[in-house]
Amino acid sequence: MAKHATPKLDQLESGPWPSFVSDIKQEAESRTKNPKGLDYQIPVDCPSDLLGVLELSYTDGETHWKHGGIVGVFGYGGGVIGRYCDQPEMFPGVAHFHTVRINQPAAKYYSTDFLRQICDMWDLRGSGLTNMHGSTGDIVLLGTQTAQLEEIFHEITHKMNTDLGGSGSNLRTPESCLGSSRCEYACYDAQDLCYNLTMEFQDELHRPAFPYKFKFKFDACPNGCVAAIARSDFAVIGTWKDDIRIDQAAVKAYVGGEFKPNAGAHAGRDWGKFDIVEEVVKRCPTKCMTWTGSELRINNKECTRCMHCINTMPRACRIGNERGASILLGAKAPVLDGAQMGSLLVPFIEVSEPYDEIKDLIGKIWDWWMEEGKNRERIGETMKRLSFQKLLEVTGIEAMPQHVCEPRHNPYMFFKEEEVPGGWNRDIAAYRKRHLR
Amino acid sequence: MASITYKGHEFEVDEDGFLLRFDDWNPDWMEYVKDSEGITDITPDHQKILDFLQDYYRKNGIAPMVRILSKNTGFKLKEVYELFPSGPGKGACKMSGLPKPTGCV
Ligand code: HEM
Ligand code: HEM
Ligand code: SF4
Ligand code: SF4
């Protein structure tokens, strides 16, 4: 018998998609039965009370969590999101319901052994509920009490060799696409760079020292499987600078129908026979491809490496061999001054261990933003306020046409005084000698 | 909200142990809080940070940014954490009676 009646939530148990309600009920039941005889460190009925408070919110159309919450572990300024229910008497099991962010392995490959250890710890010291994973990447342990935080931290660090993720005005938990682990488009080892920079900047991740949050994300090609361009202040996106490698025999196999276009991604509908001209050549954004009837040609000088031809004929077109990445800066959600995606800062950078060039660039950006950024101003907003030009100056990057989508159309141009013969110090009396009032 | 009595003073606090009103602060508050913040003795270095936070808050109505705290007190962030293990927000701001940090913490 459930602790609270949940008529509205019960409706979400029907339908084909995995129901979060059924799953939470299952956990609630398991805790009641307690088959392993655990000495639960937070209320047994925590998941039941969570369903209760959620049902109340469904009825009221309002959240029932109090504002904010500041809890954590000694030594760190972030990692835990404190939360308290605003009806603690009705739902004592979630009076405290803090969330713990755990730093996940890059691209989220796990062994069952590791996950089992996390679950055993969380069954004992938490609600038994999780989010796999938070949007930033962390393993999210959903719901525990303040007294358990140091216990959890002790167990994950001492027994699982695992650390907390980031929260607050600091470097948040970085994440990457699965990169070269199982993708033939990967232009660099995104997981390795992600791991390396996460370790390099542990201090910046655990102890907030920035004007606001800052995120890294790593896509190993422009397909953007981790959406670095939209969800990270500092996006590293893989690319190449030589020619696309074409296997003409494989191209013919696509034309002949032996290979399915887009690796069969559109097999759910009849789109007719593969037409290389309609589906590839004419779709190329720069129109730099030609199909002679027997041969596919690419004018690589005009190719913007959009990935379309490679995505459509992965067995025939492959990324080049001179690989690296582009770096884009400033993506953010709308608050305060409007949404932004990353703007191209470095068109091409070598990506190889120990990644000194990238680290050096990050250092320069942080030095500038930590000094000039206003309280709660994302780097994208600092760029808007102080200008892209300033960003180029502090990073020592020379302006180039690739930095803009199009040149400015207004003439409000600033010149540096030293660029202008005579400078700004002018004598009005000298002027008046030539121009009477 | 909970109320705490310590050395004859009454302090109203929230769940996280932050003072509800800055004006309720007095030196006994720091004595009371320090244990839960992992501090054995309040040294002159602690006091320097606590004083700066209070001065800044009185003048500006907000807590200073971390780098302003560092610049003015001369303590690097690392040293601030050595003094206040839970950091400038949860540790030092709480002890100095400033309102609870908010935002996407
Ligand atoms: C000999 C007198 C003037 C000359 C030669 C002159 C010339 C110009 C020029 C070349 C522009 C830029 C147009 C463009 O490219 O968009 C302009 C803009 C403007 N002028 Fe004048 N102007 C004169 C007097 C005035 C006066 C007396 C006023 C107002 C009392 C005025 C108000 C404006 C305004 C408001 C704009 C901005 C329009 C916009 O940005 O869309 N101008 N003027
Ligand atoms: C309630 C009064 C006013 C309002 C709401 C108003 C609003 C605006 C707005 C929205 C713009 C366009 C800004 C942009 O998109 O860059 C503008 C431009 C401008 N306004 Fe006004 N304005 C007002 C009064 C005035 C007055 C009294 C003057 C001059 C005597 C004036 C002179 C100008 C000029 C010169 C521009 C062009 C500036 C530029 O092109 O950068 N405005 N105004
Ligand atoms: S971003 Fe590119 S390299 Fe990374 S997984 Fe996606 S397609 Fe592959
Ligand atoms: S990658 Fe894009 S731009 Fe380059 S040839 Fe292929 S379709 Fe054209």
Side-chain angles (χ1 to χ4, degrees), chain B residues 44-63:
Chain B
D45 285 351
H46 287 104
Q47 199 60 54
K48 189 172 173 188
I49 290 180
L50 295 168
D51 289 346
F52 174 73
L53 288 174
Q54 295 195 328
D55 287 347
Y56 192 95
Y57 182 70
R58 284 196 197 95
K59 272 187 210 132
N60 303 291
I62 54 167

Side-chain angles (χ1 to χ4, degrees), chain A residues 177-179 183 185-187 219-226:
Chain A
C177 75
L178 48 77
C183 182
Y185 302 161
C187 301
D219 280 314
C221 88
N223 280 330
C225 291
V226 77

Side-chain angles (χ1 to χ4, degrees), chain A residues 122-336:
Chain A
W122 190 236
D123 275 342
L124 182 68
R125 304 193 180 278
S127 65
L129 307 176
T130 66
N131 175 359
M132 294 297 272
H133 299 71
S135 310
T136 302
D138 306 85
I139 299 172
V140 176
L141 303 181
L142 276 175
T144 191
Q145 302 198 335
T146 308
Q148 290 307 309
L149 297 175
E150 292 287 356
E151 309 283 338
I152 291 164
F153 186 53
H154 188 273
E155 285 202 32
I156 62 167
T157 49
H158 288 72
K159 297 188 187 159
M160 288 163 238
N161 198 19
T162 293
D163 208 337
L164 294 180
S167 71
S169 290
N170 57 5
L171 174 65
R172 300 296 182 87
T173 309
E175 181 56 301
S176 69
C177 75
L178 48 77
S180 20
S181 72
R182 50 189 301 178
C183 182
E184 67 270 38
Y185 302 161
C187 301
Y188 70 95
D189 189 341
Q191 286 170 284
D192 191 61
L193 179 60
C194 179
Y195 176 75
N196 189 304
L197 294 188
T198 305
M199 297 308 279
E200 174 84 17
F201 299 116
Q202 282 288 296
D203 262 359
E204 286 75 6
L205 193 153
H206 292 305
R207 283 170 282 278
F210 293 165
Y212 204 9
K213 64 179 94 164
F214 196 96
K215 298 181 183 176
F216 291 159
K217 279 191 171 57
F218 310 93
D219 280 314
C221 88
N223 280 330
C225 291
V226 77
I229 197 172
R231 305 193 301 155
S232 63
D233 301 81
F234 186 92
V236 182
I237 302 178
T239 189
W240 61 95
K241 59 178 182 181
D242 53 346
D243 293 351
I244 291 178
R245 292 171 291 158
I246 306 175
D247 175 345
Q248 298 295 349
V251 174
K252 287 194 184 103
Y254 278 101
V255 174
E258 292 103 82
F259 294 162
K260 297 274 160 273
N262 292 86
H266 307 294
R269 187 172 156 184
D270 183 6
W271 292 94
K273 190 178 174 297
F274 177 62
D275 180 338
I276 193 170
V277 174
E278 284 300 324
E279 295 176 43
V280 182
V281 175
K282 281 169 132 179
R283 303 277 154 188
C284 170
T286 61
K287 303 283 180 286
C288 68
M289 306 179 92
T290 36
W291 170 243
T292 64
S294 60
E295 201 190 5
L296 183 71
R297 291 190 194 133
I298 297 178
N299 176 6
N300 284 278
K301 272 198 164 59
E302 297 300 326
C303 164
T304 53
R305 296 163 180 79
C306 77
M307 295 298 295
H308 176 73
C309 57
I310 298 175
N311 287 339
T312 309
M313 303 189 295
R315 298 176 74 160
C317 297
R318 312 178 68 194
I319 59 169
N321 284 322
E322 280 178 54
R323 299 170 197 167
S326 306
I327 290 173
L328 294 86
L329 214 65
K332 59 175 280 286
V335 173
L336 276 169

Side-chain angles (χ1 to χ4, degrees), chain B residues 47-101:
Chain B
Q47 199 60 54
K48 189 172 173 188
I49 290 180
L50 295 168
D51 289 346
F52 174 73
L53 288 174
Q54 295 195 328
D55 287 347
Y56 192 95
Y57 182 70
R58 284 196 197 95
K59 272 187 210 132
N60 303 291
I62 54 167
M65 287 203 276
V66 169
R67 72 171 185 281
I68 294 176
L69 175 73
S70 284
K71 259 189 193 162
N72 281 270
T73 58
F75 292 116
K76 295 198 180 82
L77 190 59
K78 186 170 164 288
E79 296 166 316
V80 177
Y81 273 87
E82 278 162 10
L83 293 165
F84 297 93
S86 34
K90 180 173 173 291
C93 281
K94 184 193 282 183
M95 282 179 80
S96 55
L98 266 60
K100 177 153 78 184

Side-chain angles (χ1 to χ4, degrees), chain A residues 66-67 69-71 74-75 77 81 84 167-168 172 207-209 213 370-371 373 375-376, chain B residues 1 15-16 18 36-38 65-67 71 77 81 85-86 90 100-105:
Chain A
K66 290 188 188 179
H67 181 235
I70 291 289
V71 290
F74 285 152
I81 321 302
Y84 302 94
S167 71
R172 300 296 182 87
R207 283 170 282 278
K213 64 179 94 164
M370 284 173 73
E371 198 51 42
N375 198 14
R376 296 220 172 133
Chain B
M1 292 289 168
E15 290 94 342
D16 293 322
F18 279 79
S36 67
E37 290 305 323
M65 287 203 276
V66 169
R67 72 171 185 281
K71 259 189 193 162
L77 190 59
Y81 273 87
S86 34
K90 180 173 173 291
K100 177 153 78 184
T102 57
C104 187
V105 290

